[in-house]
Amino acid sequence: MFLFRSVFAVAFLLPFALRAHEGMWLPTLLKSIEGDMRSEGLHLSAEDIYSVNNGSIKDAVVLFGGGCTAEVISAEGLILTNHHCGFSAISSHSSLEQDHAKNGFWAPDRKAELRNPGLTATFVVRMEDVTERILSGLSPELAEAERREAIAALSAPIAQEAVAGTHYKAVVRPFNFGNSYYLIVTETFRDVRLVGAPPNAIGKFGGDTDNWMWPRHNADFSLFRIYAGPDNRPADPSDANVPFVPRHVLPVSMDGVKEGDFAMIFGFPGTTQRYLTSHAVDHVINVSDPARIAMRTASLGIIEPMIHSSDRIRLQYADKVANLSNYWKKFIGELRGLRELRTLERKQADERTFQAIADTAMGGAYASVLPDLAVLQEQFAPYATARDMFLEFFYYGPEILRLADAHAEVIEGAGGDAAKMMELKAKRLENDRIFYADYDVEIDKRVFKALLPIYMARVPAALAPTFLKQVGNDTDAWVDALYARSAFASPDRLESLLVKGGSRMKRTLAEDPAYKVARNIVTNYFEQVRPEHAAIGDRIESGMRMYVKGMSELFPEKVMWPDANSTLRLSYGKVEGSSPRDGVVYQPHTTLDGVMEKYVPGDPEFDVPERLIELYRTKDYGPYGEDGTMPVCFTSSLHTTGGNSGSPVLDGDGRLIGLNFDRSWESTMSDIQFDPEKCRNICVDIRYVLFIIDKFAGAKHLVDEMNVVRNDVPPTIDLPIHR
Ligand code: ARG
Ligand code: GLU
């Protein structure tokens, strides 16, 4: 049940209280929070934001690739997303001769825009609550796996009927642990071309050092264009395609942002865990986050200093460090935030209140849900830990294990099919060459040595792979012996074995110590861990379904939002700074002055391009500056998570004021508990984006394509927004 009146004053007194600005709201349910949004400064109606029949803001919001958000900013299909979201496309067009990643890329005209096979842009055509149709077709006793099958059978005709006679796609997705179901109809474009990107030194300025941190000084943006067939429908990449004509274009605001201004964000947040029980939070705080942090601290402790030791190692390992460090840093922030907010104690108190009411209310229908979940969580814990440790050791740990495992096919042979075997071998040799180009065996060995004792200490004994029994006390000596004997530690040996081939190669590699350990770990996971992890996980899912249903029935005045699940959501709040902890105050804005403060000539993270320094020196900010300074980033109290990267941040009139790209470190527990004092998302000020395109890159033709608006000047394009 959603409330119309101001929910927050009341909500604070309730268990499971929703905090101000908490929530990632379904666009179809905005009517229920419209009143609150308007009282905070929204000038539009829910219908302006999400409409099925008319162009509305949602028609300018794009799921970019699989995991980011982008937005439409011109009537000719131009879209804006983060630099880190477009980065693999940018890199794929970069070479030593034409290093677009390093130097930036700006297509001078349409013909120069670069195609990206496989990259898609997806719009949500409409969403519809189909809970009744699904739930009424389910018998309540179904086990989780049968329930899934029954739901798939019920969903298929709903989706088919929704797209009949169209080129749209449709799915039915569960929300709230399967208490509600939505039909989501989408339109996916397959010809998405790179239009522009600033150099790394601007787009990634500050690198991993600044990642998850405020104050921030990078312009984390890139520009793409959606192309469609001549009928404006999705088409395979082709010269015959033309720029897509969108249903809505976001006006770009030149008015800037002031502390206290209303703001909202629209995008595709990935995952949150708002409704975890205290037992599950206990596991995150005391087991899971510490384990994953310990493993990554150990490997980063080896690799990170090495990337500063030589250019070769930097080029080989910088991406790996970025990948390891992004969630390492997130886990650390999250752990600290959960402790500071006393999330565990709060959850326990909320659960006591729930239990006291559930014991008697509704004939005790919800009386056993929490005790049952507590038992399940205890059974689940060792499997969850074994899985975490498997992921950290095998997927993020020493690369020799993944390399060895990737040879399973050639080692097992192709069922005697000689031609197939030739093909497999050729591909393997090629992939091995690519792998070794970015591999340093000494670093890898040191990572193995650093991780092994942590892995041994933390993996639950009953679920541990058997190879650990042979390791003994001197783990370093065991690792040395493994690398000394393994062919995978020697590119030449491996290559000559593969080239010779035959049964000798198969026998040698099958007995290779790295291969045996890799297979042992993988088999152990798939046979001893995963089945039970999935089975208990299913029972937890069904318990959680009951628990959140109980929350809404026992506390009907409670406002709830469904956990993020990569579907379209809206959050709202204000442009504001924060006081994340005692004695610390964050201002909401940064400027180009801060870029220059951080400037370290020649530094891989903090170098500044000559042209930008020049613009700073001459204060040549064009129309984009404000009182002689150039705004760069700002923070706002919008509830976001991974997947919101590239999301549009809009003012109360639906005009683009910023581009979301991160959260502050003190916010990262917001996936589990949001806090209105601490939690801030980080955006590039849209004026900095325009400044970089126009003044830095000289690509003013792209700005001219946009609908740039000022409060005192009426918009040039007639907008489908009705006030
Ligand atoms: N922390 C942001 C996110 O989770 C940005 C990550 C990319 N940037 C980086 N320095 N690794 O995606
Ligand atoms: N950088 C994140 C992303 O790629 C957004 C930051 C967050 O997790 O809030 O989606």
Side-chain angles (χ1 to χ4, degrees):
M1 252 290 297
F2 294 92
L3 291 189
F4 219 105
R5 66 200 149 88
S6 180
V7 290
F8 301 113
V10 198
F12 268 116
L13 308 172
L14 298 170
F16 316 105
L18 187 75
R19 316 294 305 270
H21 299 160
E22 176 187 340
M24 302 180 183
W25 305 95
L26 278 165
T28 49
L29 295 177
L30 292 183
K31 283 257 183 305
S32 58
I33 52 165
E34 194 182 20
D36 277 304
M37 290 174 73
R38 290 187 70 100
S39 71
E40 295 221 22
L42 176 70
H43 302 139
L44 306 172
S45 67
E47 178 79 4
D48 293 324
I49 297 172
Y50 176 89
S51 168
V52 174
N53 300 315
N54 298 303
S56 58
I57 291 177
K58 78 121 171 59
D59 295 312
V61 184
V62 176
L63 175 66
F64 183 82
C68 278
T69 306
E71 51 275 2
V72 179
I73 52 168
S74 95
E76 292 162 283
L78 190 64
I79 57 174
L80 175 67
T81 188
N82 284 153
H83 187 266
H84 76 261
C85 294
F87 194 64
S88 61
I90 300 165
S91 305
S92 75
H93 297 293
S94 302
S95 60
L96 280 175
E97 299 73 46
Q98 261 208 336
D99 199 341
H100 296 322
K102 187 168 173 216
N103 305 318
F105 170 76
W106 307 96
D109 54 37
R110 299 285 151 85
K111 280 197 293 299
E113 298 177 354
L114 300 170
R115 283 193 207 159
N116 304 286
L119 182 61
T120 55
T122 298
F123 292 89
V124 173
V125 178
R126 66 188 177 92
M127 296 175 73
E128 187 185 319
D129 188 343
V130 293
T131 309
E132 261 314 298
R133 286 181 71 180
I134 298 287
L135 292 187
S136 65
L138 294 179
S139 60
E141 288 78 34
L142 293 181
E144 209 52 25
E146 295 158 3
R147 191 178 189 271
R148 259 198 300 273
E149 273 172 37
I151 289 168
L154 291 163
S155 302
I158 299 179
Q160 271 158 26
E161 136 203 336
V163 297
T166 72
H167 60 280
Y168 299 150
K169 287 199 192 92
V171 282
V172 173
R173 295 279 307 268
F175 289 70
N176 274 321
F177 305 94
N179 281 305
S180 39
Y181 289 83
Y182 278 82
L183 166 73
I184 304 174
V185 180
T186 55
E187 181 178 36
T188 296
F189 289 84
R190 306 184 293 277
D191 191 348
V192 181
R193 302 186 194 170
L194 176 63
V195 174
N200 282 345
I202 290 177
K204 283 160 96 78
F205 180 76
D208 286 323
T209 303
D210 272 9
N211 191 26
W212 296 114
M213 308 274 262
W214 184 256
R216 203 53 162 276
H217 294 93
N218 55 327
D220 196 342
F221 82 96
S222 55
L223 293 165
F224 288 79
R225 190 184 307 280
I226 301 175
Y227 280 76
D231 57 358
N232 206 34
R233 290 186 175 190
D236 285 329
S238 148
D239 285 341
N241 291 346
V242 293
F244 166 64
V245 180
R247 295 218 297 163
H248 182 67
V249 178
L250 293 179
V252 176
S253 169
M254 284 284 286
D255 289 331
V257 290
K258 281 190 315 298
E259 178 140 41
D261 285 353
F262 174 86
M264 60 183 174
I265 186 165
F266 224 155
F268 293 88
T271 317
T272 55
Q273 297 180 296
R274 168 64 168 90
Y275 301 99
L276 286 186
T277 63
S278 60
H279 301 91
V281 169
D282 192 351
H283 184 82
V284 171
I285 294 178
N286 291 307
V287 186
S288 164
D289 274 359
R292 303 194 75 169
I293 292 166
M295 292 290 273
R296 292 188 190 203
T297 303
S299 37
L300 287 166
I302 306 286
I303 309 171
E304 222 275 329
M306 292 302 293
I307 63 174
H308 304 298
S309 69
S310 79
D311 274 349
R312 177 181 64 85
I313 293 179
R314 180 177 55 76
L315 288 169
Q316 289 178 326
Y317 278 85
D319 269 3
K320 298 176 195 173
V321 166
N323 188 30
L324 276 169
S325 105
N326 192 33
Y327 265 65
W328 168 75
K329 217 163 165 180
K330 153 118 205 266
F331 295 140
I332 294 174
E334 176 175 274
L335 188 54
R336 181 174 181 176
L338 292 171
R339 287 189 173 134
E340 283 175 4
L341 290 182
R342 307 263 176 276
T343 302
L344 179 57
E345 292 77 2
R346 280 193 212 204
K347 291 261 177 188
Q348 288 165 339
D350 284 353
E351 288 169 9
R352 281 193 294 273
T353 311
F354 180 96
Q355 193 62 47
I357 294 181
D359 279 339
T360 54
M362 303 196 167
Y366 296 104
S368 65
V369 63
L370 277 172
D372 288 351
L373 277 169
V375 172
L376 286 170
Q377 180 58 42
E378 199 174 318
Q379 294 169 357
F380 190 58
Y383 294 94
T385 304
R387 181 174 182 276
D388 282 345
M389 296 312 289
F390 169 70
L391 292 178
E392 290 300 324
F393 194 62
F394 186 74
Y395 282 107
Y396 292 94
E399 291 181 271
I400 197 167
L401 295 177
R402 297 198 290 289
L403 174 71
D405 194 60
H407 288 71
E409 264 191 323
V410 282
I411 294 171
E412 278 152 23
D417 181 338
K420 174 104 190 284
M421 191 62 191
M422 286 287 284
E423 199 185 303
L424 279 178
K425 252 177 53 180
K427 207 156 146 215
R428 209 45 264 166
L429 282 164
E430 169 64 13
N431 284 339
D432 286 351
R433 263 191 293 277
I434 296 170
F435 173 87
Y436 284 122
D438 285 342
Y439 181 73
D440 183 287
V441 68
E442 284 309 313
I443 293 181
D444 200 50
K445 195 204 289 186
R446 289 176 57 204
V447 168
F448 206 132
K449 286 181 181 174
L451 293 187
L452 184 58
I454 306 174
Y455 180 67
M456 289 171 90
R458 290 188 184 252
V459 67
L463 299 174
T466 50
F467 87 89
L468 291 181
K469 293 206 185 82
Q470 288 135 38
V471 171
N473 287 334
D474 191 345
T475 54
D476 280 2
W478 184 85
V479 174
D480 280 329
L482 182 141
Y483 279 78
R485 296 207 331 266
S486 175
F488 296 102
S490 156
D492 294 343
R493 231 183 104 197
L494 182 62
E495 188 183 333
S496 71
L497 270 169
L498 282 172
V499 169
K500 278 194 205 110
S503 58
R504 218 198 90 160
M505 174 272 284
K506 287 186 204 159
R507 234 181 307 119
T508 311
L509 290 184
E511 287 305 312
D512 189 280
Y515 183 68
K516 281 167 72 178
V517 168
R519 289 315 299 164
N520 187 241
I521 294 175
V522 173
T523 313
N524 174 76
Y525 173 71
F526 282 100
E527 289 173 4
Q528 310 298 321
V529 181
R530 202 171 80 150
E532 205 54 17
H533 184 274
I536 307 173
D538 272 354
R539 273 176 268 149
I540 292 181
E541 180 78 4
S542 125
M544 289 301 292
R545 184 177 313 131
M546 184 87 172
Y547 179 41
V548 298
K549 186 158 181 260
M551 278 184 206
S552 66
E553 289 180 4
L554 302 179
F555 304 92
E557 58 299 343
K558 180 183 154 49
V559 180
M560 290 173 71
W561 55 277
D563 266 325
N565 58 356
S566 299
T567 58
L568 186 61
R569 303 295 178 97
L570 179 138
S571 313
Y572 68 97
K574 283 180 163 32
V575 173
E576 53 183 322
S578 55
S579 36
R581 72 182 79 92
D582 190 35
V584 178
V585 175
Y586 287 154
Q587 300 293 329
H589 299 282
T590 59
T591 68
L592 205 51
D593 294 345
V595 173
M596 297 309 295
E597 280 169 7
K598 287 178 176 174
Y599 172 40
V600 180
D603 185 87
E605 296 185 316
F606 292 99
D607 203 3
V608 178
E610 203 44 56
R611 168 89 187 127
L612 190 59
I613 298 175
E614 181 62 25
L615 291 166
Y616 176 74
R617 265 205 218 104
T618 54
K619 303 267 173 285
D620 185 5
Y621 304 146
Y624 311 108
E626 186 179 313
D627 305 328
T629 64
M630 186 63 230
V632 172
C633 291
F634 68 89
T635 59
S636 44
S637 48
L638 302 173
H639 195 177
T640 55
T641 189
N644 271 124
S645 275
S647 298
V649 177
L650 307 169
D651 67 9
D653 295 301
R655 307 177 315 167
L656 188 63
I657 52 177
L659 175 66
N660 184 71
F661 70 98
D662 213 353
R663 275 174 286 173
S664 68
W665 213 5
E666 296 86 351
S667 310
T668 43
M669 72 305 194
S670 69
D671 294 345
I672 297 173
Q673 186 182 347
F674 183 84
D675 182 85
E677 301 300 318
K678 296 173 190 274
C679 292
R680 296 295 176 264
N681 65 313
I682 302 178
C683 321
V684 200
D685 192 306
I686 202 66
R687 292 169 297 174
Y688 192 51
V689 171
L690 299 179
F691 163 80
I692 293 293
I693 298 173
D694 177 354
K695 303 296 293 185
F696 173 82
K700 176 138 193 307
H701 60 285
L702 294 172
V703 176
D704 291 340
E705 214 190 301
M706 303 174 198
N707 177 22
V708 177
V709 294
R710 287 179 176 281
N711 240 342
D712 46 358
V713 184
T716 50
I717 299 180
D718 221 7
L719 298 168
I721 295 275
H722 24 93
R723 290 176 196 226

